[in-house]
Amino acid sequence: MRVPVAILGATGMVGQRAIQLLQGHPWFEIAALAASERSAGKSYRDACRWHLDGEPYAGLGDVPVIACDPATVTAHVGRTGIALSALETAAASACERPFANAGWAVVSNASSHRMDDDVPLLVPELNAEHLALLDRQPRGALITNPNCTSLPVVFALAPILRSVGIEAVCLASYQAVSGAGYPGESAWDMLGNVRPHPGNEEEKLAIEPQKILGTVGPAGIVPADFALSARCVRVPVTDGHLVAIQLKTRHPLSPSDAVALLSGFDPGLDLPFAPHPLMIHRTERDRPQPRLDADRGRGMAVSFGRVEHCPVMGLKLFALAHNTVRGAAGAAILNAELLVARGRVA
């Protein structure tokens, strides 16, 4: 039997992407579409407008949307399983802990609980051992995905950190408009323009990578010991977050050795959504690019390039990931697969 998955926040962009990606999944089946009270009782088709390519509503247009409530969803499904949360921050703050306390394994895309002491900020290829934090939770499970811009950053940093150490990182992001959801950024703000990010992306990027790349200690995660400064910018691109990274390593590392570290980094994760290869090196001087590289590995791989000497920090490179797949819905599915593989789903 496949594991039932309830999509919380099914009407939004991340919820829609998760539904699309879960079609035909070998382990999971979508058992419930849940959303706000204003959507509950409607068919999925009537509750939202489909914004993605492919079959509209992924063939689930006639499925009823139910209230995003643990008792309602459990009764509808007939058991607990995985609650894949695509809720906005305020709704996630209110709903996710109650779902976990009701016995669900909650996999969240929201920022609400990312920095909680008992919640893993999970990237399966990098920190699967952080699942030990779940032993501190009273019932069920609650894990979170990183911010979509953190994903290409931590994949670029992890092999280098483990090999030669990192002292400091400066980065600048070029973020696609799909990261703002729908309707997202206005055309007036974005057309013919580059917009410094108006939200709190920079604050998230300043703390998330250290938790992801940290170690499990007696009181929670001991953050990785490096400083990070970020500037985030929204650009008129549909999908794919490109990040320019400059870093100072604790021991010397040549650009060619850095390329070898990143290209060879693949933990061999044997899960359906795990990409192989994980890190794809683009040798062209004008790559990676969102239009050409964001969909590599079904949107789950990370592309990098322009690995060069930096006269200020020592090393610089570009890294790119698909923000709504690897940075959101696909990351949640991979996290859910890891929960199942590690026996963390009842």
Side-chain angles (χ1 to χ4, degrees):
M1 294 181 61
R2 291 191 293 170
V3 178
V5 176
I7 309 294
L8 312 183
T11 57
M13 286 286 285
V14 174
Q16 292 184 20
R17 181 69 78 179
I19 289 166
Q20 183 187 62
L21 293 175
L22 281 168
Q23 299 305 300
H25 193 282
W27 296 5
F28 301 142
E29 63 177 350
I30 298 173
L33 304 180
S36 65
E37 292 290 345
R38 67 178 178 271
S39 298
K42 299 178 181 178
S43 69
Y44 190 40
R45 179 180 292 105
D46 292 335
C48 66
R49 180 181 176 186
W50 187 256
H51 298 295
L52 304 180
D53 56 0
E55 184 181 6
Y57 303 97
L60 303 181
D62 295 328
V63 172
V65 176
I66 61 176
C68 198
D69 168 76
T72 301
V73 175
T74 304
H76 179 86
V77 176
R79 54 163 288 193
T80 58
I82 293 169
L84 197 159
S85 174
L87 296 166
E88 296 181 353
T89 302
S93 297
C95 291
E96 289 176 351
R97 287 281 187 183
F99 267 91
N101 291 337
W104 288 83
V106 180
V107 182
S108 173
N109 283 280
S111 62
S112 306
H113 300 290
R114 285 178 187 155
M115 302 311 293
D116 291 4
D117 290 340
D118 62 344
V119 175
L121 183 54
L122 195 65
V123 181
E125 296 96 337
L126 302 182
N127 64 353
E129 69 277 7
H130 289 196
L131 287 179
L133 294 183
L134 296 181
D135 297 334
R136 304 165 186 240
Q137 297 182 18
R139 192 181 177 205
L142 171 58
I143 65 173
T144 57
N145 301 344
N147 176 276
C148 50
T149 315
S150 295
L151 255 300
V153 173
V154 294
F155 276 116
L157 297 184
I160 297 172
L161 176 67
R162 295 170 183 178
S163 176
V164 297
I166 293 174
E167 183 175 329
V169 180
C170 287
L171 59 86
S173 71
Y174 306 84
Q175 297 181 213
V177 293
S178 58
Y182 186 88
E185 307 279 358
S186 74
W188 180 258
D189 288 330
M190 293 312 306
L191 290 177
N193 194 26
V194 172
R195 188 186 189 200
H197 201 289
N200 61 345
E201 295 285 284
E202 293 172 3
E203 289 82 356
K204 296 174 187 176
L205 276 179
I207 57 175
E208 287 187 15
Q210 290 90 333
K211 181 175 181 179
I212 295 165
L213 299 175
T215 57
V216 181
I221 300 299
V222 179
D225 184 20
F226 59 83
L228 190 153
S229 178
R231 283 300 199 192
C232 297
V233 173
R234 191 77 75 187
V235 296
V237 167
T238 304
D239 293 308
H241 286 358
L242 179 69
V243 185
I245 303 171
Q246 297 168 279
L247 62 154
K248 183 177 182 181
T249 59
R250 295 192 182 275
H251 301 283
L253 182 69
S254 69
S256 60
D257 287 343
V259 168
L261 281 174
L262 270 62
S263 298
F265 183 70
D266 189 343
L269 197 65
D270 187 20
L271 296 173
F273 257 62
H276 302 287
L278 170 60
M279 304 287 289
I280 298 173
H281 181 216
R282 302 303 317 193
T283 60
E284 306 92 332
R285 188 160 178 79
D286 62 347
R287 301 283 283 275
Q289 295 181 25
R291 181 182 296 171
L292 302 177
D293 298 305
D295 289 321
R296 298 295 297 271
R298 299 182 300 168
M300 292 294 288
V302 175
S303 298
F304 71 98
R306 294 286 300 278
V307 184
E308 299 167 350
H309 171 72
C310 174
V312 176
M313 297 288 283
L315 193 68
K316 59 184 178 181
L317 69 149
F318 285 104
L320 169 75
H322 196 302
N323 54 294
T324 67
V325 181
R326 181 78 236 204
I333 294 170
L334 185 60
N335 283 351
E337 291 172 352
L338 184 67
L339 285 177
V340 172
R342 297 295 178 89
R344 292 284 187 170
V345 178

